[in-house]
Amino acid sequence: MDLNRRTVIAGAAAAGIAATTLGGTAHATGGRKPVKELFGKLADGTKVYRWSLENGGTRMKVLTYGGIVQSLETPDRRGRYTNISAGFDNIEDYVAKSPYFGALIGRYGNRIAKGKFTLDGKSYQLSVNDGDNSLHGGAQGFDKRVWDVEPFTKGPDVGLHLYYTSVDGEMGYPGTLKVKVTYTLTARGDWRIDYEATTDKATVVNLTSHVYWNLAGEGNGTIEDHELQIAASRYTPTDSGLIPTGELAKVAGTPFDFTRAKAIGRDIRAGHPQQVMAKGYDHNWVLDKGITSRPEHIATLRDRDSGRTLKIATNEPGLQFYSGNFLDGTLPGTSGRTYRQGDALCLETQHFPDSPNHASFPSTVLRPGETYRTTTIHTFGC
């Protein structure tokens, strides 16, 4: 947490202020034991629970369905809390309508061309759910599974361990994959995600989180005034199906240059052929740092009106920036307001899309005896 945010929260608490927005209240920092409540039921009667966490001035609600972050609240520069993640207020909409709002993504985040890849000389056909391609693990990816959840408190931190076992052949993927994802809210108010997975057969894995952010508040209009900076001098251009061509193109001199902070809307309608195909930004940025042993800062998002900032650190080599191009005004969110094109954005840390079909891309292969581990940290400020 930065000094400004720490001062806002501490000052509000000392003065007994209950600054509110959308029903929120400013609280002093300090972790609270996660609280569980029934959120709804699936058509087959399976119960879906919602876990509420609070620490360091950040509040979070997580569903057992899809590991979904249903809401995440932080204060603005005046101490007023707002939910800054898009989502629904009922399980039915998550099942029937959700464009991956807040979800855990697997087995493979992003796209695999025609849902096909070859590993160790054997070809695999995956579930195809995005035109001719497989997207975010297929028609029944990890976002549509009910996870086992175990709450924890560890020193000043609070969080959830989420568990799911994907059986051999699920959505066409080889190997039984045992997955553990840990959501931690730290004493600083950071949200840390630690991904782990093991397999009993060679497979491919690329896990990520698909939260849609609007730092002005969920349902509060466009993100085009948000300023974004990405530590990447190259990106992966795509074909018309949003599958990487294999090129690592320079961002310099193009609308894809976010090496210095700029408003997202400044170049979003520049007419670049890549933007025309994607209806905006929906591309993987090749992070300059590459794969690292520890998370390193790679992106900063800022909303000047509220003062909120989001800084992201990861050990992953890529970042998918999606500017909410396919939000069409038909989805009412938790505030009751509908989401239009560009009303939220995603910053998905990852290996590259379609890596199993590009030998030059960082490998996503996981073999028996190995453990898949990646970490992403979200730091909120104001």
Side-chain angles (χ1 to χ4, degrees):
M1 184 189 308
D2 62 29
L3 180 61
N4 289 338
R5 183 180 179 205
R6 201 181 299 247
T7 302
V8 165
I9 297 171
I17 296 172
T20 63
T21 182
L22 298 181
T25 304
H27 290 286
T29 59
R32 296 185 178 183
K33 183 178 180 180
V35 177
K36 178 183 177 182
E37 63 182 325
L38 183 66
F39 184 72
K41 294 182 180 180
L42 301 182
D44 64 1
T46 301
K47 293 180 179 179
V48 173
Y49 293 96
R50 179 169 64 183
W51 286 90
S52 297
L53 301 85
E54 181 175 349
N55 204 11
T58 300
R59 305 172 187 159
M60 186 177 183
K61 294 183 179 180
V62 178
L63 306 183
T64 55
Y65 179 80
I68 287 168
V69 176
Q70 192 235 352
S71 72
L72 194 148
E73 298 182 18
T74 65
D76 65 10
R77 62 166 61 93
R78 298 167 70 181
R80 299 175 300 186
Y81 274 81
T82 301
N83 175 21
I84 59 174
S85 66
F88 299 116
D89 62 4
N90 64 89
I91 189 60
E92 292 79 13
D93 282 349
Y94 278 111
V95 172
K97 303 177 181 179
S98 182
Y100 305 99
F101 282 152
L104 274 176
I105 301 297
R107 286 189 192 191
Y108 199 97
N110 222 301
R111 294 171 175 86
I112 294 180
K114 300 187 184 304
K116 295 180 179 180
F117 69 93
T118 300
L119 179 59
D120 295 339
K122 184 174 180 179
S123 296
Y124 295 92
Q125 177 62 62
L126 308 176
S127 166
V128 172
N129 62 325
D130 182 55
D132 293 333
N133 305 317
S134 183
L135 174 65
H136 293 331
Q140 294 292 320
F142 290 1
D143 61 294
K144 296 177 178 64
R145 307 293 181 174
V146 175
W147 293 64
D148 293 324
V149 176
E150 177 184 285
F152 70 88
T153 57
K154 184 178 181 181
D157 299 337
V158 300
L160 304 172
H161 297 304
L162 299 98
Y163 301 92
Y164 179 69
T165 297
S166 177
V167 299
D168 184 20
E170 184 175 278
M171 297 295 103
Y173 287 90
T176 294
L177 191 76
K178 294 184 177 180
V179 182
K180 176 185 178 182
V181 179
T182 301
Y183 289 169
T184 303
L185 283 186
T186 72
R188 287 166 45 96
D190 296 348
W191 172 35
R192 176 182 176 123
I193 312 175
D194 291 289
Y195 304 90
E196 297 180 29
T198 58
T199 185
D200 62 358
K201 186 185 297 184
T203 191
V204 294
V205 186
N206 189 27
L207 306 181
T208 191
S209 172
H210 210 290
V211 173
Y212 284 69
W213 302 104
N214 185 324
L215 299 186
E218 169 272 334
N220 279 352
T222 182
I223 48 81
E224 290 190 10
D225 291 334
H226 284 35
E227 294 178 351
L228 178 63
Q229 184 172 14
I230 305 174
S233 55
R234 295 180 183 269
Y235 76 106
T236 52
T238 70
D239 63 18
S240 60
L242 301 183
I243 297 294
T245 63
E247 179 187 6
L248 305 184
K250 293 181 179 180
V251 302
T254 78
F256 294 85
D257 190 350
F258 286 89
T259 53
R260 293 185 179 182
K262 68 176 181 181
I264 291 169
R266 193 184 82 177
D267 298 325
I268 201 168
R269 293 174 178 82
H272 190 285
Q274 285 289 310
Q275 292 174 299
V276 173
M277 285 192 297
K279 296 182 173 60
Y281 296 110
D282 192 1
H283 295 78
N284 170 67
W285 269 253
V286 180
L287 300 175
D288 290 338
K289 70 174 188 62
I291 299 173
T292 48
S293 59
R294 295 182 178 181
E296 295 185 9
H297 174 248
I298 53 93
T300 299
L301 183 69
R302 181 187 308 275
D303 173 45
R304 288 192 176 275
D305 287 345
S306 67
R308 290 189 182 89
T309 60
L310 167 61
K311 295 181 179 180
I312 297 178
T314 189
N315 54 6
E316 289 276 43
L319 178 74
Q320 185 82 9
F321 166 37
Y322 168 57
S323 54
N325 313 330
F326 299 103
L327 299 176
D328 62 2
T330 64
L331 303 177
T334 50
S335 63
R337 294 186 286 268
T338 56
Y339 302 132
R340 301 167 301 172
Q341 185 179 52
D343 277 356
L345 63 89
C346 300
L347 297 168
E348 305 156 62
T349 57
Q350 60 177 15
H351 271 54
F352 303 169
D354 201 34
S355 287
N357 295 310
H358 295 271
S360 62
F361 287 1
S363 175
T364 56
V365 175
L366 181 69
R367 298 185 181 279
E370 301 174 342
T371 301
Y372 171 98
R373 287 190 177 94
T374 73
T375 298
T376 295
I377 301 171
H378 304 78
T379 298
F380 306 99
C382 59

